[in-house]
Amino acid sequence: MTGQGQAPQFDPGRPHPARMYDYYLGGRSHFDADAKAAEAVAAAMPVARAAARANRDFMVRATRWLAGERGVRQFLDIGSRIPTEPNLHQAAQAVAPESKVVYCDNDPVVLEHAQELLHGATEGSTAYVHADVTDPESILDAPELSDTIDLGRPVALSVNTIFHFVGDDQQPYDIVRTLLGALPADSHLVLTHATADFLAAGHAERAESVLDIYAESGSPLWPRTFAEVSRFFDGLELVGPGLVPPQSWHPDAERTGAPGEGAVPGYAGVARKP
């Protein structure tokens, strides 16, 4: 999912964040340009692969927690990216087979693979919306959404690794407010976001090279501070342990971590709409 106002034109010669993410996760739905850009990022910031995996694992844990602990049965995943198992619907339907999931992305390669996202438990249902996060009304108005999800019942809005591709001039906080405004009480926001807060001393030049790589791909990256990421949760009730690095949110026994050298450069949180 890019921060552009319309779906990008397909260009296998130009790297795209969704396909770079696929490369980090060991997928196969990327091109040489994506692999080269991802390798350049990993050379400058070796934690890149671990960060992608930590974000993916967080999504799975958060989805299972919402389905199990909060009884959420409807999920809207914006920026679904290229299918990589386990997908969100698999995580939700493993807990509650009747769960309904709508995926949304604007990358043409994700669209090509969309049918892979639509196979879920027979008790539940899945759908795909081809739209851009910077046009939230087009997502909310999509018939695929209204045919699948009842906006009168709680929804988990999942926007992982998306808003660091949306610049301040595109009003990212307003986008979240618009999306949440269409959801009823007891809905939840699930969000991860890149940060430079944990950047080790002397690594500023490496960080700049990473930003340059994404800028050259046409999808500039905007890392935000703890305070800036916290703003996405204004008016919501953060659940424990609050806003933390993704690997530290309800970690599995074998997956632990804390901010510091080599830490995943991001924040993750889950919050309830009162």
Side-chain angles (χ1 to χ4, degrees), residues 258-273:
E261 178 70 18
V264 171
Y267 289 112
V270 177
R272 171 184 170 273
K273 179 179 177 180

Side-chain angles (χ1 to χ4, degrees), residues 54-233:
N55 275 285
R56 191 77 184 184
D57 291 344
F58 162 77
M59 179 276 290
V60 172
R61 295 196 308 276
T63 299
R64 289 174 176 167
W65 184 87
L66 286 166
E69 298 297 323
R70 292 292 171 94
V72 177
R73 296 294 181 264
Q74 301 188 120
F75 298 82
L76 173 56
D77 182 22
I78 300 178
S80 54
R81 301 187 183 277
I82 295 163
T84 303
E85 294 190 354
N87 293 300
L88 189 148
H89 74 273
Q90 293 169 321
Q93 293 174 353
V95 177
E98 69 274 22
S99 296
K100 298 179 179 181
V101 179
V102 173
Y103 292 106
C104 176
D105 207 296
N106 75 336
D107 179 36
V109 174
V110 178
L111 176 63
E112 180 182 339
H113 288 272
Q115 288 303 316
E116 296 179 38
L117 291 168
L118 304 184
H119 298 292
T122 55
E123 299 92 333
S125 57
T126 57
Y128 177 80
V129 174
H130 192 62
D132 194 285
V133 70
T134 59
D135 185 7
E137 289 83 2
S138 70
I139 299 172
L140 296 171
D141 292 341
E144 296 89 349
L145 178 66
S146 57
D147 288 347
T148 307
I149 285 180
D150 178 1
L151 294 182
R153 298 174 53 232
V155 176
L157 171 63
S158 181
V159 284
N160 295 316
T161 67
I162 297 305
F163 280 101
H164 47 238
F165 293 113
V166 180
D168 290 342
D169 61 325
Q170 295 171 300
Q171 308 301 319
Y173 303 108
D174 290 344
I175 293 172
V176 171
R177 297 280 82 77
T178 297
L179 292 167
L180 287 173
L183 308 181
D186 288 329
S187 292
H188 289 73
L189 173 65
V190 183
L191 179 145
T192 64
H193 197 293
T195 187
D197 285 358
F198 310 142
L199 189 64
H203 287 187
E205 186 174 335
R206 293 185 185 182
E208 285 297 326
S209 69
V210 170
L211 296 181
D212 288 344
I213 293 167
Y214 278 102
E216 290 170 5
S217 76
S219 299
L221 183 68
W222 284 273
R224 292 186 170 95
T225 65
F226 179 88
E228 290 170 328
V229 178
S230 296
R231 284 186 58 193
F232 287 106
F233 297 94

Side-chain angles (χ1 to χ4, degrees), residues 24-59:
Y24 294 139
L25 293 175
R28 299 181 179 180
S29 299
H30 53 264
F31 302 97
D32 287 344
D34 306 304
K36 290 178 181 177
E39 284 293 345
V41 169
M45 189 173 291
V47 75
R49 286 187 176 86
R53 176 51 58 190
N55 275 285
R56 191 77 184 184
D57 291 344
F58 162 77
M59 179 276 290

